[in-house]
Amino acid sequence: MSTPPAPELAGRRLVLGLSGGIACYKAADLARELVKAGATVQVVMTEGALQFVTALTMQALSGRPVVASTWDLREPNAMAHINLSREADAIVVAPATADFIARVAQGRADDLLSLLCVARPVERCPLLLAPAMNREMWAHPATGRNVAQVRADGAVVLGPAAGDQACGETGDGRMLEPAEIRDALVAFFQPKLLAGRRVLVTAGPTFEAIDPVRGITNHSSGKMGFAVARAAAEAGADVTLVAGPVHLPTPPGVRRIDVASACQMHAAVLPEAPRHDVFVATAAVADWRPAHVNEHKVKKDGRRGAPLFELTENPDILAEVARLPAAERPWCVGFAAESEDLVRHSREKLQRKGVPLIVGNLGPATFGRDDNALVLVDAEGETELPRADKLTLARALVAEIARRLPDGVRA
Ligand code: CTP
Protein backbone atom coordinates (compact mmCIF):
# COMPACT_ATOMS: atom_id res chain seq x y z
CA MET A 1 0.00 0.00 0.00
CA SER A 2 1.22 3.52 -0.70
CA THR A 3 1.26 6.13 2.06
CA PRO A 4 -1.33 8.86 1.47
CA PRO A 5 0.27 11.90 -0.14
CA ALA A 6 0.94 14.96 2.08
CA PRO A 7 -1.77 17.59 1.62
CA GLU A 8 -0.67 19.59 -1.39
CA LEU A 9 -0.77 22.99 0.30
CA ALA A 10 0.57 21.82 3.67
CA GLY A 11 2.41 24.63 5.44
CA ARG A 12 1.27 27.33 2.98
CA ARG A 13 -0.05 30.51 4.54
CA LEU A 14 -2.61 32.13 2.29
CA VAL A 15 -4.62 35.30 2.46
CA LEU A 16 -7.93 34.64 0.73
CA GLY A 17 -9.40 37.97 -0.32
CA LEU A 18 -13.03 38.37 -1.35
CA SER A 19 -14.25 41.41 -3.24
CA GLY A 20 -17.94 42.04 -3.80
CA GLY A 21 -19.42 39.81 -6.47
CA ILE A 22 -21.99 37.04 -6.60
CA ALA A 23 -19.16 34.50 -6.96
CA CYS A 24 -18.49 35.10 -3.22
CA TYR A 25 -20.74 32.10 -2.62
CA LYS A 26 -18.10 29.95 -4.33
CA ALA A 27 -15.35 31.51 -2.19
CA ALA A 28 -16.89 29.75 0.81
CA ASP A 29 -16.24 26.42 -0.89
CA LEU A 30 -12.77 27.60 -1.94
CA ALA A 31 -11.87 28.35 1.70
CA ARG A 32 -12.85 24.78 2.52
CA GLU A 33 -10.82 23.32 -0.36
CA LEU A 34 -7.73 25.29 0.66
CA VAL A 35 -8.03 24.27 4.32
CA LYS A 36 -8.56 20.66 3.26
CA ALA A 37 -5.40 20.90 1.13
CA GLY A 38 -3.45 21.83 4.28
CA ALA A 39 -3.16 25.63 3.91
CA THR A 40 -3.62 28.19 6.67
CA VAL A 41 -6.28 30.52 5.31
CA GLN A 42 -6.75 34.08 6.52
CA VAL A 43 -9.85 35.59 4.97
CA VAL A 44 -9.97 39.30 4.18
CA MET A 45 -13.28 40.73 2.87
CA THR A 46 -14.25 44.05 1.32
CA GLU A 47 -17.43 45.89 2.28
CA GLY A 48 -18.96 44.66 -0.96
CA ALA A 49 -18.09 41.02 -0.24
CA LEU A 50 -19.89 41.28 3.11
CA GLN A 51 -23.11 41.99 1.17
CA PHE A 52 -22.89 38.57 -0.49
CA VAL A 53 -21.62 36.21 2.21
CA THR A 54 -21.19 36.70 5.93
CA ALA A 55 -17.96 36.91 7.89
CA LEU A 56 -19.45 34.21 10.11
CA THR A 57 -19.55 31.74 7.20
CA MET A 58 -15.98 32.50 6.17
CA GLN A 59 -14.71 32.36 9.75
CA ALA A 60 -16.37 28.99 10.34
CA LEU A 61 -14.85 27.55 7.14
CA SER A 62 -11.36 29.03 7.52
CA GLY A 63 -11.17 28.56 11.27
CA ARG A 64 -9.90 32.13 11.77
CA PRO A 65 -11.53 35.48 12.45
CA VAL A 66 -12.16 37.40 9.23
CA VAL A 67 -10.55 40.80 8.81
CA ALA A 68 -12.60 43.35 6.89
CA SER A 69 -11.46 46.80 7.91
CA THR A 70 -8.28 48.82 7.87
CA TRP A 71 -9.45 50.21 11.20
CA ASP A 72 -9.79 46.79 12.88
CA LEU A 73 -8.44 47.34 16.39
CA ARG A 74 -7.93 43.64 17.14
CA GLU A 75 -4.41 43.80 15.70
CA PRO A 76 -2.14 44.83 18.62
CA ASN A 77 -0.18 47.30 16.46
CA ALA A 78 -3.31 48.28 14.45
CA MET A 79 -1.42 47.46 11.22
CA ALA A 80 -3.34 44.55 9.75
CA HIS A 81 -2.08 45.42 6.25
CA ILE A 82 1.55 44.97 7.29
CA ASN A 83 1.08 41.94 9.53
CA LEU A 84 -1.09 39.99 7.09
CA SER A 85 1.05 40.62 4.03
CA ARG A 86 4.32 39.80 5.85
CA GLU A 87 2.94 36.50 7.12
CA ALA A 88 1.47 35.29 3.81
CA ASP A 89 3.08 33.05 1.17
CA ALA A 90 0.52 34.40 -1.33
CA ILE A 91 -2.58 36.55 -1.55
CA VAL A 92 -5.36 35.08 -3.68
CA VAL A 93 -8.37 37.24 -4.42
CA ALA A 94 -11.42 35.22 -5.45
CA PRO A 95 -13.66 36.70 -6.61
CA ALA A 96 -11.72 39.64 -8.03
CA THR A 97 -14.32 42.07 -9.39
CA ALA A 98 -13.78 44.54 -12.24
CA ASP A 99 -13.68 47.33 -9.65
CA PHE A 100 -11.16 45.51 -7.47
CA ILE A 101 -8.84 44.82 -10.41
CA ALA A 102 -9.13 48.50 -11.40
CA ARG A 103 -8.11 49.55 -7.90
CA VAL A 104 -5.14 47.15 -7.84
CA ALA A 105 -4.09 48.42 -11.27
CA GLN A 106 -4.05 51.97 -9.87
CA GLY A 107 -2.28 50.98 -6.66
CA ARG A 108 -5.14 52.33 -4.55
CA ALA A 109 -5.32 51.58 -0.84
CA ASP A 110 -8.77 52.74 0.18
CA ASP A 111 -9.88 49.45 1.74
CA LEU A 112 -7.98 46.75 3.60
CA LEU A 113 -7.78 44.25 0.73
CA SER A 114 -6.40 46.65 -1.88
CA LEU A 115 -4.16 48.19 0.80
CA LEU A 116 -2.82 44.71 1.49
CA CYS A 117 -2.02 44.21 -2.20
CA VAL A 118 -0.01 47.44 -2.35
CA ALA A 119 1.69 46.88 1.00
CA ARG A 120 2.86 43.33 0.26
CA PRO A 121 6.54 42.67 -0.45
CA VAL A 122 6.18 42.04 -4.19
CA GLU A 123 9.14 39.65 -4.45
CA ARG A 124 8.08 37.46 -1.55
CA CYS A 125 4.31 37.55 -1.56
CA PRO A 126 2.74 36.85 -4.97
CA LEU A 127 -0.74 38.08 -5.84
CA LEU A 128 -3.19 35.81 -7.67
CA LEU A 129 -6.49 37.17 -8.95
CA ALA A 130 -9.50 35.07 -10.00
CA PRO A 131 -11.69 37.50 -11.97
CA ALA A 132 -15.48 37.16 -11.73
CA MET A 133 -17.79 39.48 -13.61
CA ASN A 134 -20.42 39.84 -16.29
CA ARG A 135 -19.12 39.15 -19.82
CA GLU A 136 -19.63 42.77 -20.95
CA MET A 137 -17.61 43.99 -17.98
CA TRP A 138 -14.84 41.49 -18.79
CA ALA A 139 -14.90 42.54 -22.46
CA HIS A 140 -14.81 46.27 -21.64
CA PRO A 141 -11.58 47.92 -22.85
CA ALA A 142 -11.03 49.48 -19.41
CA THR A 143 -11.04 46.03 -17.81
CA GLY A 144 -8.66 44.78 -20.51
CA ARG A 145 -6.27 47.66 -19.73
CA ASN A 146 -6.47 47.02 -15.99
CA VAL A 147 -5.88 43.28 -16.37
CA ALA A 148 -2.87 43.95 -18.62
CA GLN A 149 -1.57 46.43 -16.04
CA VAL A 150 -1.88 44.09 -13.04
CA ARG A 151 -0.21 41.34 -15.08
CA ALA A 152 2.62 43.70 -16.01
CA ASP A 153 2.98 44.47 -12.29
CA GLY A 154 3.46 40.76 -11.59
CA ALA A 155 0.00 39.54 -10.60
CA VAL A 156 -1.12 36.12 -11.83
CA VAL A 157 -4.60 36.06 -13.36
CA LEU A 158 -6.45 32.74 -12.97
CA GLY A 159 -9.12 32.33 -15.63
CA PRO A 160 -11.78 33.53 -16.01
CA ALA A 161 -13.82 30.70 -17.50
CA ALA A 162 -16.59 30.97 -20.05
CA GLY A 163 -20.12 29.72 -19.45
CA ASP A 164 -23.46 30.52 -17.81
CA GLN A 165 -23.40 33.64 -15.66
CA ALA A 166 -25.46 34.57 -12.60
CA CYS A 167 -27.07 37.40 -14.62
CA GLY A 168 -28.48 34.87 -17.09
CA GLU A 169 -26.04 35.72 -19.87
CA THR A 170 -23.41 33.38 -21.27
CA GLY A 171 -19.78 34.25 -21.99
CA ASP A 172 -16.34 34.97 -20.54
CA GLY A 173 -16.04 36.21 -16.98
CA ARG A 174 -17.16 33.32 -14.78
CA MET A 175 -14.90 32.69 -11.84
CA LEU A 176 -12.98 29.39 -12.03
CA GLU A 177 -14.45 26.64 -9.88
CA PRO A 178 -13.00 26.33 -6.35
CA ALA A 179 -11.17 23.07 -7.18
CA GLU A 180 -9.62 24.72 -10.27
CA ILE A 181 -8.38 27.65 -8.19
CA ARG A 182 -6.97 25.24 -5.59
CA ASP A 183 -5.17 23.27 -8.34
CA ALA A 184 -3.83 26.49 -9.85
CA LEU A 185 -2.38 27.41 -6.44
CA VAL A 186 -0.84 23.95 -6.05
CA ALA A 187 0.69 24.32 -9.53
CA PHE A 188 1.88 27.85 -8.73
CA PHE A 189 3.97 26.57 -5.81
CA GLN A 190 5.66 23.75 -7.77
CA PRO A 191 9.33 24.40 -8.65
CA LYS A 192 9.63 25.59 -12.26
CA LEU A 193 12.13 22.91 -13.28
CA LEU A 194 11.00 22.85 -16.92
CA ALA A 195 10.48 26.59 -17.48
CA GLY A 196 10.99 27.42 -21.14
CA ARG A 197 10.93 23.75 -22.20
CA ARG A 198 8.39 22.14 -24.55
CA VAL A 199 7.21 18.68 -23.59
CA LEU A 200 5.29 16.23 -25.77
CA VAL A 201 3.47 13.37 -24.03
CA THR A 202 1.53 10.39 -25.41
CA ALA A 203 -1.05 8.79 -23.12
CA GLY A 204 -3.73 6.15 -22.91
CA PRO A 205 -4.43 3.10 -25.03
CA THR A 206 -4.98 3.04 -28.77
CA PHE A 207 -8.05 1.59 -30.46
CA GLU A 208 -7.55 -0.50 -33.58
CA ALA A 209 -10.80 -0.87 -35.48
CA ILE A 210 -11.94 -4.27 -36.78
CA ASP A 211 -15.20 -2.93 -38.19
CA PRO A 212 -17.38 0.14 -37.46
CA VAL A 213 -18.42 -1.20 -34.04
CA ARG A 214 -15.56 -3.37 -32.79
CA GLY A 215 -11.87 -2.99 -32.17
CA ILE A 216 -8.75 -4.08 -30.31
CA THR A 217 -7.64 -2.01 -27.34
CA ASN A 218 -6.08 -2.48 -23.87
CA HIS A 219 -6.57 -1.59 -20.21
CA SER A 220 -4.40 1.55 -20.10
CA SER A 221 -6.40 4.28 -18.33
CA GLY A 222 -4.16 7.17 -19.43
CA LYS A 223 -3.84 8.32 -15.81
CA MET A 224 -0.03 8.13 -15.69
CA GLY A 225 0.39 10.05 -18.94
CA PHE A 226 -2.12 12.72 -17.92
CA ALA A 227 -0.31 13.05 -14.58
CA VAL A 228 3.01 13.48 -16.44
CA ALA A 229 1.43 16.17 -18.65
CA ARG A 230 0.04 17.95 -15.61
CA ALA A 231 3.31 17.72 -13.66
CA ALA A 232 5.28 19.04 -16.64
CA ALA A 233 2.86 21.99 -17.01
CA GLU A 234 3.10 22.70 -13.28
CA ALA A 235 6.88 22.71 -13.69
CA GLY A 236 6.53 25.54 -16.21
CA ALA A 237 6.75 23.57 -19.48
CA ASP A 238 4.68 24.16 -22.60
CA VAL A 239 2.92 20.80 -22.90
CA THR A 240 1.28 18.97 -25.80
CA LEU A 241 -0.62 15.81 -24.91
CA VAL A 242 -1.53 13.30 -27.60
CA ALA A 243 -4.23 11.16 -26.01
CA GLY A 244 -5.77 7.87 -27.05
CA PRO A 245 -9.44 7.21 -26.21
CA VAL A 246 -9.80 7.99 -22.47
CA HIS A 247 -12.31 9.87 -20.36
CA LEU A 248 -9.98 12.16 -18.44
CA PRO A 249 -10.11 15.95 -18.16
CA THR A 250 -7.31 17.88 -19.87
CA PRO A 251 -4.82 19.19 -17.28
CA PRO A 252 -4.90 23.01 -17.05
CA GLY A 253 -2.77 24.81 -19.62
CA VAL A 254 -2.09 21.66 -21.63
CA ARG A 255 -2.73 21.49 -25.41
CA ARG A 256 -4.48 18.23 -26.18
CA ILE A 257 -4.73 16.30 -29.44
CA ASP A 258 -7.19 13.37 -29.34
CA VAL A 259 -6.52 10.31 -31.46
CA ALA A 260 -7.86 6.76 -31.57
CA SER A 261 -5.51 4.41 -33.45
CA ALA A 262 -1.74 3.91 -33.33
CA CYS A 263 -1.49 5.25 -36.89
CA GLN A 264 -3.35 8.41 -35.88
CA MET A 265 -1.09 8.80 -32.84
CA HIS A 266 1.93 8.33 -35.10
CA ALA A 267 0.59 10.95 -37.55
CA ALA A 268 -0.03 13.41 -34.69
CA VAL A 269 3.30 12.90 -32.92
CA LEU A 270 5.81 12.89 -35.79
CA PRO A 271 5.22 16.47 -36.99
CA GLU A 272 5.05 17.73 -33.37
CA ALA A 273 8.23 16.02 -32.16
CA PRO A 274 10.81 18.39 -33.71
CA ARG A 275 9.08 21.34 -32.01
CA HIS A 276 9.52 19.83 -28.54
CA ASP A 277 12.51 19.46 -26.22
CA VAL A 278 11.29 16.35 -24.42
CA PHE A 279 9.12 13.42 -25.56
CA VAL A 280 7.56 11.19 -22.90
CA ALA A 281 5.88 8.14 -24.45
CA THR A 282 3.54 6.77 -21.80
CA ALA A 283 0.91 5.50 -24.26
CA ALA A 284 0.19 1.78 -24.39
CA VAL A 285 0.27 1.67 -28.18
CA ALA A 286 -1.20 -1.47 -29.73
CA ASP A 287 1.57 -3.42 -31.39
CA TRP A 288 -0.73 -4.70 -34.15
CA ARG A 289 -3.87 -3.65 -35.98
CA PRO A 290 -6.25 -5.57 -38.26
CA ALA A 291 -4.75 -5.51 -41.73
CA HIS A 292 -8.16 -4.65 -43.24
CA VAL A 293 -10.96 -2.70 -41.58
CA ASN A 294 -14.36 -4.06 -42.61
CA GLU A 295 -16.59 -1.35 -43.99
CA HIS A 296 -19.66 -2.89 -42.33
CA LYS A 297 -20.18 -4.80 -39.14
CA VAL A 298 -18.92 -8.38 -39.42
CA LYS A 299 -22.00 -10.59 -38.95
CA LYS A 300 -22.20 -13.97 -37.23
CA ASP A 301 -22.32 -16.58 -39.89
CA GLY A 302 -23.17 -20.07 -38.64
CA ARG A 303 -21.65 -21.80 -41.59
CA ARG A 304 -18.22 -20.19 -41.41
CA GLY A 305 -17.63 -20.04 -37.61
CA ALA A 306 -15.49 -17.29 -36.01
CA PRO A 307 -13.89 -14.91 -38.52
CA LEU A 308 -10.10 -14.82 -38.77
CA PHE A 309 -8.28 -11.51 -38.75
CA GLU A 310 -4.96 -10.87 -40.32
CA LEU A 311 -2.89 -8.45 -38.24
CA THR A 312 -0.24 -6.02 -39.37
CA GLU A 313 2.37 -4.28 -37.23
CA ASN A 314 1.90 -0.68 -36.10
CA PRO A 315 4.67 1.91 -36.42
CA ASP A 316 6.84 2.22 -33.31
CA ILE A 317 6.30 5.89 -32.50
CA LEU A 318 8.95 6.17 -29.79
CA ALA A 319 11.62 4.41 -31.83
CA GLU A 320 10.90 6.64 -34.83
CA VAL A 321 11.11 9.82 -32.79
CA ALA A 322 14.35 8.55 -31.24
CA ARG A 323 15.77 8.05 -34.76
CA LEU A 324 15.08 11.64 -35.90
CA PRO A 325 18.20 13.64 -36.83
CA ALA A 326 19.79 15.19 -33.70
CA ALA A 327 18.60 18.71 -34.55
CA GLU A 328 14.98 17.54 -34.69
CA ARG A 329 15.08 15.00 -31.90
CA PRO A 330 13.57 15.68 -28.49
CA TRP A 331 15.08 14.02 -25.40
CA CYS A 332 13.11 10.76 -25.33
CA VAL A 333 11.63 8.91 -22.37
CA GLY A 334 10.01 5.53 -22.94
CA PHE A 335 7.77 3.53 -20.65
CA ALA A 336 8.01 -0.22 -20.26
CA ALA A 337 4.96 -2.06 -18.98
CA GLU A 338 6.16 -5.53 -18.06
CA SER A 339 4.74 -8.42 -16.11
CA GLU A 340 8.07 -9.71 -14.71
CA ASP A 341 11.82 -9.08 -14.65
CA LEU A 342 11.25 -5.33 -14.87
CA VAL A 343 14.81 -4.03 -14.79
CA ARG A 344 16.18 -6.54 -17.32
CA HIS A 345 13.34 -5.88 -19.79
CA SER A 346 13.60 -2.12 -19.29
CA ARG A 347 17.34 -2.11 -19.92
CA GLU A 348 16.84 -4.21 -23.02
CA LYS A 349 14.17 -1.74 -24.21
CA LEU A 350 16.52 1.20 -23.50
CA GLN A 351 18.96 -0.24 -26.02
CA ARG A 352 16.42 -1.44 -28.57
CA LYS A 353 14.52 1.86 -28.71
CA GLY A 354 17.72 3.95 -28.57
CA VAL A 355 16.44 6.36 -25.89
CA PRO A 356 18.28 7.89 -22.91
CA LEU A 357 15.69 6.87 -20.29
CA ILE A 358 13.19 4.06 -19.80
CA VAL A 359 10.62 4.14 -17.01
CA GLY A 360 9.65 0.63 -16.00
CA ASN A 361 6.44 -0.37 -14.28
CA LEU A 362 4.56 -3.60 -13.74
CA GLY A 363 1.56 -3.34 -16.06
CA PRO A 364 -0.99 -5.55 -14.30
CA ALA A 365 -0.24 -3.82 -10.96
CA THR A 366 -0.96 -0.34 -12.29
CA PHE A 367 -3.55 -0.35 -15.10
CA GLY A 368 -6.56 1.68 -14.00
CA ARG A 369 -5.20 2.32 -10.51
CA ASP A 370 -4.43 5.69 -8.95
CA ASP A 371 -1.04 4.62 -7.68
CA ASN A 372 2.03 3.00 -9.16
CA ALA A 373 5.73 2.32 -8.53
CA LEU A 374 8.42 3.13 -11.09
CA VAL A 375 12.01 2.24 -11.78
CA LEU A 376 14.08 4.56 -13.93
CA VAL A 377 16.64 2.74 -16.05
CA ASP A 378 19.40 4.62 -17.86
CA ALA A 379 23.17 4.85 -18.27
CA GLU A 380 23.43 6.01 -14.62
CA GLY A 381 21.89 2.77 -13.36
CA GLU A 382 18.51 2.22 -11.71
CA THR A 383 16.53 4.73 -9.66
CA GLU A 384 13.44 3.54 -7.83
CA LEU A 385 10.45 5.82 -7.31
CA PRO A 386 8.49 4.00 -4.59
CA ARG A 387 4.76 3.35 -4.72
CA ALA A 388 2.75 6.58 -4.55
CA ASP A 389 -0.20 8.22 -6.27
CA LYS A 390 0.45 8.86 -9.96
CA LEU A 391 0.68 12.66 -9.65
CA THR A 392 3.34 12.40 -6.93
CA LEU A 393 5.26 9.96 -9.13
CA ALA A 394 4.84 12.18 -12.18
CA ARG A 395 6.27 15.17 -10.28
CA ALA A 396 9.24 13.04 -9.15
CA LEU A 397 9.73 11.82 -12.73
CA VAL A 398 9.63 15.41 -14.05
CA ALA A 399 12.34 16.34 -11.53
CA GLU A 400 14.46 13.36 -12.67
CA ILE A 401 13.99 14.32 -16.33
CA ALA A 402 14.84 17.98 -15.62
CA ARG A 403 18.04 16.89 -13.85
CA ARG A 404 19.13 14.78 -16.85
CA LEU A 405 18.25 17.24 -19.62
CA PRO A 406 21.11 18.75 -21.56
CA ASP A 407 21.43 22.49 -20.99
CA GLY A 408 19.75 24.88 -23.35
CA VAL A 409 16.53 24.69 -25.31
CA ARG A 410 16.68 23.32 -28.84
CA ALA A 411 15.81 25.75 -31.62
N1 CTP B 1 5.65 2.63 -28.10
C1 CTP B 1 5.38 3.45 -29.17
N2 CTP B 1 4.81 2.95 -30.29
C2 CTP B 1 4.54 1.64 -30.40
C3 CTP B 1 4.81 0.78 -29.32
C4 CTP B 1 5.35 1.31 -28.18
O1 CTP B 1 5.63 4.65 -29.06
N3 CTP B 1 4.01 1.18 -31.52
C5 CTP B 1 6.27 3.17 -26.88
C6 CTP B 1 5.41 3.14 -25.66
O2 CTP B 1 4.67 4.34 -25.53
C7 CTP B 1 6.42 2.95 -24.55
C8 CTP B 1 7.51 2.15 -25.19
O3 CTP B 1 7.36 2.35 -26.58
O4 CTP B 1 7.00 4.19 -24.18
C9 CTP B 1 7.48 0.70 -24.84
O5 CTP B 1 6.42 0.06 -25.42
P1 CTP B 1 6.14 -1.53 -25.27
O6 CTP B 1 4.94 -1.81 -26.07
O7 CTP B 1 6.11 -1.90 -23.84
O8 CTP B 1 7.42 -2.15 -25.90
P2 CTP B 1 7.55 -3.02 -27.16
O9 CTP B 1 8.63 -2.42 -27.93
O10 CTP B 1 6.27 -3.21 -27.85
O11 CTP B 1 8.07 -4.41 -26.58
P3 CTP B 1 7.24 -5.65 -25.94
O12 CTP B 1 5.80 -5.50 -26.33
O13 CTP B 1 7.90 -6.81 -26.50
O14 CTP B 1 7.43 -5.55 -24.46
Side-chain angles (χ1 to χ4, degrees), residues 202 281-287 314-318 333-338 349 352-353:
T202 61
T282 76
V285 185
D287 288 319
N314 275 326
D316 189 324
I317 303 166
L318 176 60
V333 181
F335 267 64
E338 307 293 344
K349 213 158 274 187
R352 184 159 45 85
K353 302 247 177 183

Side-chain angles (χ1 to χ4, degrees), residues 8 10 26 41 60 65-66 117 119 122 133 148 171 174 184 203 208 213 251 338 345 379 382 389 391 401 403:
E8 295 189 290
K26 289 192 196 172
V41 178
V66 169
C117 295
V122 174
M133 66 196 75
R174 254 172 78 104
E208 311 301 327
V213 295
E338 307 293 344
H345 285 305
E382 285 102 48
D389 69 287
L391 184 56
I401 293 172
R403 192 165 65 71

Side-chain angles (χ1 to χ4, degrees), residues 63 78 288 359:
W288 300 280
V359 181

Side-chain angles (χ1 to χ4, degrees), residues 26-27 29-31 33-34 175-183:
K26 289 192 196 172
D29 202 13
L30 175 59
E33 291 284 349
L34 297 177
M175 191 171 85
L176 294 186
E177 294 303 321
E180 292 174 313
I181 297 175
R182 178 207 56 209
D183 287 350

Side-chain angles (χ1 to χ4, degrees), residues 343-374:
V343 171
R344 186 170 63 82
H345 285 305
S346 299
R347 192 156 291 287
E348 187 265 330
K349 213 158 274 187
L350 186 76
Q351 259 118 45
R352 184 159 45 85
K353 302 247 177 183
V355 297
L357 179 63
I358 287 281
V359 181
N361 62 153
L362 291 171
T366 180
F367 279 163
R369 292 179 55 138
D370 289 325
D371 63 358
N372 197 1
L374 304 176

Side-chain angles (χ1 to χ4, degrees), residues 47 107 134 139 160 276 305 340 352 368 389 395 410:
E47 280 283 310
N134 166 267
H276 290 78
E340 39 122 43
R352 184 159 45 85
D389 69 287
R395 287 180 183 144
R410 286 174 330 103

